[in-house]
Amino acid sequence: MDNIIIFALSTNVELAGEICEHLNLGLGSIAVRHFADGEILVEPNETVRGKDVFLIQSTSKPVSDSYMEVLIALDAFKRASANSVTVVMPYYGYARQDRKASARQPITAKLMADLLQTAGADRVVTIDLHASQIQGFFNIPIDDLTAVSMIGQYYRKKNFTDEIVVVSPDHGGATRARRLSDAIPNSTIAIIDKRRTKPNVAEAMNLVGDVNGKIAIVIDDMVDTAGSLMGGIDLLYERGAKEVYCACTHGILSGPAVERISKSRIKELLITNTITLTDEAKNEPKIKEISVAYMLAKAIEAIQLRTPVSVLFELFAD
């Protein structure tokens, strides 16, 4: 681990600090400047010549500026003769634009993959991509980690006495729900049949599975405005759920999300720190946060020591 150096840009500084603590490393010094006209300058304040660089940055709000910081940093590292650069992007922005849903739509998730590779990324590490097939957009190694094991450990420690049903908010998340159900003994799964009428707007239509008299845990990869989540919670209570908990990896929490969560019948929303929470979200008692720092530290260690990354999924089996 002597040849490694870790940098954080603007969106995940606290998380990067936690990762460095787990690895007993200091955080590299780097300057990120935004000029009045919107131009960005990223400049490492220490040598990276011959080093294996790990760059920590979620491409969360402002998404496009966050991506530009990463791309400019990659160019800086390559021109400064870094041996390799791994982009650790806990939240991969534009992931929802992973296909042509209508005739003239772009596939922006692929465009972002192309830009990262062209700018000089040698490897990408991310957590819970919105669609697993995004891995195929890259021609470099990509590690799509998952927080499901951590979330499963969290709920196992609650020692619920009632029956548990893990709920997917749509058909696309059924695999994720199955994984969480496998991590919570004696739980079953259910799926909400959701129809999306336009971006950030969805209408819960039906429920596949039994939630009557059970504790429901809704699992998703992200919560944005929380509009569709609220509809799903109401549906679960209508179908007899005793309590409803929710969990997601990426707490985007745009617009009225925090207020909606606060006023809802949800018992708790569990999220990870892949995206830095706003002060409003931090002060909301229904929102609980767990850290992915240890998992990412172990991933960085495995990459650097050339050991299997797959063993990370066993870290939270207790």
Side-chain angles (χ1 to χ4, degrees):
M1 300 291 285
D2 294 336
N3 205 43
I4 187 176
I5 185 166
I6 296 176
F7 292 102
L9 298 178
S10 60
T11 66
N12 282 118
V13 178
E14 290 182 12
L15 174 60
E18 287 184 50
I19 292 170
C20 287
E21 286 180 12
H22 287 298
L23 295 172
N24 293 317
L25 295 172
L27 188 61
S29 177
I30 192 166
V32 182
R33 299 184 181 92
H34 287 243
F35 297 105
D37 66 348
E39 283 192 13
I40 299 169
L41 173 64
V42 180
E43 186 177 5
N45 292 327
E46 53 191 281
T47 183
V48 296
R49 184 177 295 274
K51 298 282 189 178
D52 294 314
V53 174
F54 288 83
L55 180 64
I56 316 293
Q57 172 93 323
S58 277
T59 47
S60 47
K61 185 179 180 180
V63 180
S64 298
D65 281 359
S66 299
Y67 262 113
M68 281 305 301
E69 288 183 7
V70 173
L71 298 174
I72 294 167
L74 284 168
D75 190 70
F77 294 140
K78 285 299 182 182
R79 293 180 187 277
S81 302
N83 180 57
S84 67
V85 184
T86 297
V87 176
V88 181
M89 190 175 285
Y91 170 67
Y92 184 88
Y94 287 110
R96 285 173 282 186
Q97 298 182 37
D98 64 315
R99 68 199 186 285
K100 289 183 68 173
S102 61
R104 289 170 293 279
Q105 284 191 351
I107 305 178
T108 317
K110 173 66 166 71
L111 174 62
M112 295 301 110
D114 290 342
L115 289 172
L116 289 168
Q117 291 170 108
T118 301
D122 295 293
R123 189 183 195 104
V124 172
V125 177
T126 189
I127 302 177
D128 285 321
L129 284 169
H130 183 64
S132 295
Q133 61 266 27
I134 291 173
Q135 296 172 78
F137 294 166
F138 290 86
N139 295 317
I140 57 175
I142 174 169
D143 298 297
D144 181 23
L145 309 179
T146 180
V148 170
S149 297
M150 294 174 53
I151 293 169
Q153 182 187 64
Y154 176 87
Y155 285 116
R156 285 197 306 273
K157 289 183 177 180
K158 280 187 172 291
N159 297 315
F160 291 120
T161 55
D162 295 292
E163 287 186 68
I164 297 173
V165 55
V166 178
V167 181
S168 171
D170 52 38
H171 292 280
T175 300
R176 186 179 298 106
R178 172 58 65 191
R179 288 176 182 167
L180 182 58
S181 179
D182 289 343
I184 302 174
N186 304 316
S187 61
T188 57
I189 69 167
I191 301 170
I192 295 173
D193 179 20
K194 181 177 70 176
R195 182 171 301 169
R196 188 170 295 279
T197 55
K198 56 184 177 180
N200 289 126
V201 177
E203 181 180 355
M205 300 295 291
N206 207 343
L207 181 69
V208 181
D210 178 28
V211 300
N212 189 37
K214 301 179 181 180
I215 292 176
I217 301 174
V218 182
I219 178 71
D220 208 349
D221 63 316
M222 64 178 73
V223 172
D224 193 347
T225 62
S228 59
L229 179 63
M230 296 303 104
I233 292 168
D234 291 340
L235 178 64
L236 293 172
Y237 276 116
E238 287 173 11
R239 297 301 175 90
K242 193 171 184 179
E243 292 180 338
V244 178
Y245 291 77
C246 297
C248 74
T249 304
H250 311 297
I252 302 172
L253 304 180
S254 304
V258 176
E259 182 181 0
R260 284 173 171 170
I261 291 162
S262 178
K263 293 180 178 179
S264 73
R265 298 173 66 190
I266 186 177
K267 298 294 292 185
E268 180 181 276
L269 172 63
L270 177 69
I271 60 177
T272 77
N273 60 342
T274 57
I275 296 174
T276 302
L277 289 180
T278 63
D279 290 339
E280 181 187 19
K282 288 178 180 177
N283 293 328
E284 171 50 52
K286 286 187 178 181
I287 296 176
K288 307 297 181 184
E289 186 182 55
I290 55 176
S291 179
V292 295
Y294 181 66
M295 179 172 67
L296 288 174
K298 286 298 181 182
I300 290 171
E301 185 177 70
I303 291 167
Q304 191 65 11
L305 299 178
R306 294 174 174 82
T307 58
V309 176
S310 57
V311 299
L312 297 179
F313 303 121
E314 302 171 6
L315 292 175
F316 308 98
D318 295 337

